[in-house]
């Protein structure tokens, strides 16, 4: 099959056409033209996929396979992904507009995640508890069973692999429903997994909409766990579905409104401007952990804004499939309208536009929108509170540390925060006051750092459950205690 072949179901290791007509139009956002149509998996098809996963899970051909065998298959899948990385990036660019030249969270880095979890399989263990002379009490991690995975569109290949790699490494079977906006790379990954030696039925794919296929998967009585990345609104629904069905545990990686807190002793203002601009420009601001609120000491606010605005005007706008493009389109007409509406309302709510603010669709054809910077944004304004998921940076000036912390905490989200100061005591004080993961004088993926070993767990309405690192594998296990009297 060619990479561009239409997306279908993938059940029991076989690619199938859905009984439902391919009715969901998938629009290439660089040109606003229809690329293909996607089927919306029916309840019966979801059920078939879940049953396939259940059968294979109970048979144990993956869950009970020796760790060395699971390790070999996941490494092989990582190799196959690496070999097809540029094709997968191309599919994602066509489906949702992530520029092929963007290295962050691209298919090559998704392959690295697979290699990390292949190695993690035989490097996690349980624990032995203190007990009396006649007992041995131990705890081991066991696979959860059938995992339903529901993913968004912003980094389609990586979104899928961030779920699949740890879930499979832990010995589970998975039914994956990728975003209806971008399913082609997931289809390809399912086929590559089979080629890598993953037993048929361990990974099944059900394409379709959230309202139909997603809901049916989330409500299924025989799905043992849901893992979700997406908006907070849909995350809340998944918890309701779990309560209405079989009390399946839910792991949620949801939205964010991450602050940069910049003090006047931050050192290299040029490097900082580059990092902050890069954060909001990457993937057109459609990054869950993007720093979208700039909370900055009043004395350096004007200068920092000027430098960031200059970088915003310096982007190379164009077709996401062109390697020269640094700034592509927004993913969809819906996303485009959302950004346009919030930006046009911002001025009415008192914010001062510094650069951008305009759609570029008439010049470029697709769903393009200018990188946009607002100063003097009130903490109550919609652009300061709502996740825009677009290239819009909202700037608020502060006069003291307490005010900075108060502004940083003025959000329902708790995904990520960035603190910039050369005073380490102050940085740590502020970091500890913020309820999210925090980068100090750093921005992922600048520098080697902890690489894949670092785990991140969202807080507040950004969700819960660790993703990444060994803790990320344990998220897909249950703790089983075995008590032996001997
Ligand atoms: P979304 O919530 O609209 O959709 C995510 C997935 O949920 C899609 O597959 C969709 O089809 C499905 N879905 C929608 N309604 C559903 C329902 N009723 N039942 C079951 N499934 C349903 O999010 P999106 O627009 O695809 O992605 C953008 C969002 O994802 C942003 O909020 C962003 O912050 C978040 N995100 C978070 C992270 C993270 O790690 N925290 C990473 C990437 C994206």
């Amino acid at each position: 099959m060619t990479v561009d072949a239409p997306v279908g179901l993938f059940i029991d290791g076989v690619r199938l056409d859905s009984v439902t007509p391919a009715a969901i139009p998938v629009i290439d956002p660089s040109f606003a033209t229809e690329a293909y149509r996607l089927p919306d998996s029916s309840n019966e098809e979801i059920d078939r996929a879940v049953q396939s996963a259940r059968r294979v899970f109970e048979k144990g051909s993956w869950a009970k396979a020796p760790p060395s065998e699971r390790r070999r298959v996941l490494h092989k899948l990582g190799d196959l992904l690496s070999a097809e990385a540029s094709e997968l990036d191309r599919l994602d660019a066509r489906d949702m507009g992530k520029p092929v030249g963007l290295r962050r969270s691209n298919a090559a880095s998704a392959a690295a995640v697979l290699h990390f979890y292949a190695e993690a399989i035989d490097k996690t263990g349980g624990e032995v508890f203190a007990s009396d002379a006649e007992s041995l009490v131990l705890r081991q991690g066991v696979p959860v069973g059938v995992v339903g995975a529901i993913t968004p569109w912003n980094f389609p290949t990586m979104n899928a692999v961030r779920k699949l790699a740890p879930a499979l490494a832990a010995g589970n079977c998975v039914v994956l429903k990728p975003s209806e906006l971008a399913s082609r790379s997931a289809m390809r990954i399912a086929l590559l997994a089979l080629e890598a030696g993953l037993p048929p039925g361990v990974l099944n794919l059900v394409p379709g909409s959230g309202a139909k296929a997603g809901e049916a998967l989330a409500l299924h009585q025989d799905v043992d766990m849901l893992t979700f990345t997406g908006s907070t609104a849909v995350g809340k629904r998944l918890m309701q579905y779990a309560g209405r069905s079989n009390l399946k545990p839910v792991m949620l990686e949801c939205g964010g409104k991450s602050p940069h807190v910049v003090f006047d002793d931050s050192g290299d203002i040029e490097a900082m401007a580059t990092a902050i601009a890069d954060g909001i420009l990457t993937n057109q601001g459609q990054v869950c952990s993007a720093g979208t609120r700039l909370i900055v000491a009043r004395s350096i606010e004007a200068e920092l804004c000027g430098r960031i605005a200059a970088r915003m005007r310096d982007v190379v706008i164009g077709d996401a499939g062109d390697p020269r493009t640094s700034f592509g389109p927004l993913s969809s007409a819906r996303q485009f309208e959302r950004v346009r509406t919030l930006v046009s309302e911002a001025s009415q709510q008192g914010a001062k536009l510094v650069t951008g603010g305009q759609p570029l669709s008439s010049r470029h054809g697709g769903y393009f929108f200018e990188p946009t910077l607002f100063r003097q944004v009130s903490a109550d304004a919609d652009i300061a509170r709502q996740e825009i998921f677009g290239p819009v940076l909202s700037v608020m000036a502060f006069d003291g540390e307490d005010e900075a912390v108060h502004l940083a905490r003025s959000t329902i989200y708790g995904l990520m925060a960035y603190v910039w100061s050369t005073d380490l005591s102050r940085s740590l004080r502020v970091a500890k006051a913020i309820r999210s993961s925090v980068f100090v004088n750093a921005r992922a993926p600048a520098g080697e750092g902890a690489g894949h070993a670092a785990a991140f767990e969202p807080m507040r309405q950004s969700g819960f459950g660790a993703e990444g690192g060994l803790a990320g594998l344990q998220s897909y296990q249950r703790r089983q205690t075995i008590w032996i009297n001997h």
Side-chain angles (χ1 to χ4, degrees):
M1 102 168 244
T2 69
V3 172
D4 276 333
V7 180
L9 299 149
F10 187 72
I11 298 177
D12 261 337
V14 181
R15 188 209 166 281
L16 303 164
D17 286 327
S18 173
V19 294
T20 64
I24 304 174
V26 180
I27 309 293
D28 181 335
S30 293
F31 304 101
T33 49
E34 187 173 312
Y36 61 101
R37 285 184 173 236
L38 189 75
D40 205 355
S41 302
S42 66
N43 279 3
E44 293 69 32
E45 288 167 333
I46 302 285
D47 188 47
R48 253 180 91 187
V50 173
Q51 280 183 29
S52 156
R54 169 64 56 203
R55 231 179 1 258
V56 178
F57 181 73
E58 299 305 337
K59 203 168 126 202
S61 37
W62 180 249
K64 293 179 193 156
S68 59
E69 170 61 9
R70 285 193 267 141
R71 186 166 161 241
R72 188 189 65 73
V73 171
L74 288 192
H75 271 311
K76 176 79 180 156
L77 180 54
D79 290 342
L80 293 172
L81 232 77
S82 282
E84 284 207 8
S86 56
E87 260 315 288
L88 290 163
D89 286 335
R90 186 184 70 81
L91 291 176
D92 289 343
R94 293 277 61 96
D95 278 3
M96 51 57 69
K98 181 172 75 62
V100 288
L102 178 62
R103 289 181 54 206
R104 180 167 177 191
S105 295
N106 64 1
S109 41
V113 171
L114 277 158
H115 289 303
F116 176 85
Y117 280 108
E119 282 303 317
I121 290 172
D122 57 7
K123 292 169 188 67
T124 52
E127 57 186 319
V128 177
F129 300 103
S131 61
D132 62 27
E134 276 142 39
S135 315
L136 179 65
V137 185
L138 47 91
R139 195 265 309 158
Q140 63 166 351
V142 295
V144 185
V146 175
V147 175
I150 300 179
T151 53
W153 46 261
N154 64 331
F155 293 98
T157 299
M158 183 57 107
N159 294 146
V161 168
R162 293 271 291 182
K163 301 295 188 198
L164 296 179
L168 295 175
N172 298 287
C173 293
V174 180
V175 179
L176 170 67
K177 194 213 76 70
S179 167
E180 56 272 46
L181 262 60
S183 302
R184 280 192 286 190
S185 49
M187 180 84 236
R188 191 63 201 144
I189 291 167
L191 291 162
L192 292 177
L194 191 67
E195 194 180 327
L198 196 72
V202 175
L203 169 59
N204 301 278
L205 178 87
V206 286
S209 69
K212 191 172 159 208
E215 182 174 326
L217 180 61
L219 279 170
H220 201 289
Q221 295 285 356
D222 210 19
V223 169
D224 296 305
M225 171 184 176
L226 283 176
T227 178
F228 170 78
T229 301
S231 62
T232 295
V234 174
K236 288 180 180 180
R237 284 194 184 188
L238 294 202
M239 293 189 71
Q240 292 172 357
Y241 299 150
R244 275 168 49 199
S245 53
N246 58 345
L247 212 62
K248 51 179 80 68
V250 182
M251 176 174 159
L252 301 177
E253 309 289 320
C254 299
K257 192 73 191 172
S258 303
H260 284 282
V261 184
V262 179
F263 290 94
D264 55 7
D265 62 354
S266 304
D268 187 346
I269 196 162
E270 187 69 18
M272 201 164 49
T274 302
I276 294 170
D278 201 34
I280 195 69
L281 294 171
T282 297
N283 208 18
Q284 299 74 255
Q286 300 166 129
V287 181
C288 55
S289 57
T292 52
R293 295 184 295 145
L294 173 55
I295 296 162
V296 51
R298 198 173 301 283
S299 58
I300 59 167
E301 189 244 8
E303 185 183 353
L304 185 57
C305 284
R307 291 180 192 235
I308 293 170
R311 279 160 184 73
M312 286 182 154
R313 293 186 201 105
D314 208 27
V315 291
V316 181
I317 299 174
D319 170 12
D322 184 336
R324 291 165 301 185
T325 295
S326 69
F327 191 83
L330 295 173
S331 64
S332 64
R334 184 166 161 237
Q335 203 60 25
F336 178 81
E337 278 313 318
R338 177 171 172 74
V339 172
R340 182 155 67 174
T341 306
L342 281 161
V343 164
S344 71
E345 287 169 1
S347 302
Q348 293 155 29
Q349 293 178 9
K352 191 172 160 218
L353 183 67
V354 178
T355 191
Q358 293 301 318
L360 293 166
S361 33
S362 53
R363 183 151 26 119
H364 292 276
Y367 305 128
F368 293 90
F369 200 93
E370 284 182 323
T372 299
L373 177 63
F374 282 106
R375 282 174 80 184
Q376 297 171 16
V377 177
S378 148
D380 302 328
D382 287 340
I383 55 164
R385 290 185 307 109
Q386 291 190 28
E387 182 184 47
I388 304 174
F389 228 53
V392 183
L393 183 62
S394 304
V395 184
M396 288 166 261
F398 69 80
D399 293 304
E401 187 180 312
D402 287 349
E403 191 187 1
V405 168
H406 173 74
L407 287 169
R409 290 169 58 109
S410 299
T411 173
I412 60 165
Y413 298 109
L415 197 57
M416 197 65 73
Y418 307 86
V419 178
W420 300 86
S421 169
T422 50
D423 178 343
L424 195 56
S425 300
R426 171 149 74 184
S427 304
L428 290 178
R429 206 161 51 233
V430 173
K432 287 179 178 182
I434 296 175
R435 285 171 65 198
S436 73
S437 297
V438 182
F439 282 74
V440 176
N441 300 330
R443 190 188 73 82
E448 193 73 2
H452 299 292
F456 294 89
E457 174 151 22
M459 299 185 196
R460 308 182 75 194
Q461 293 192 37
S462 289
F464 46 81
E467 210 161 67
L470 298 183
L473 187 152
Q474 287 158 345
S475 294
Y476 292 91
Q477 292 177 326
R478 302 310 303 263
R479 295 185 187 88
Q480 182 190 33
T481 299
I482 300 183
W483 186 306
I484 309 157
N485 282 358
H486 51 83

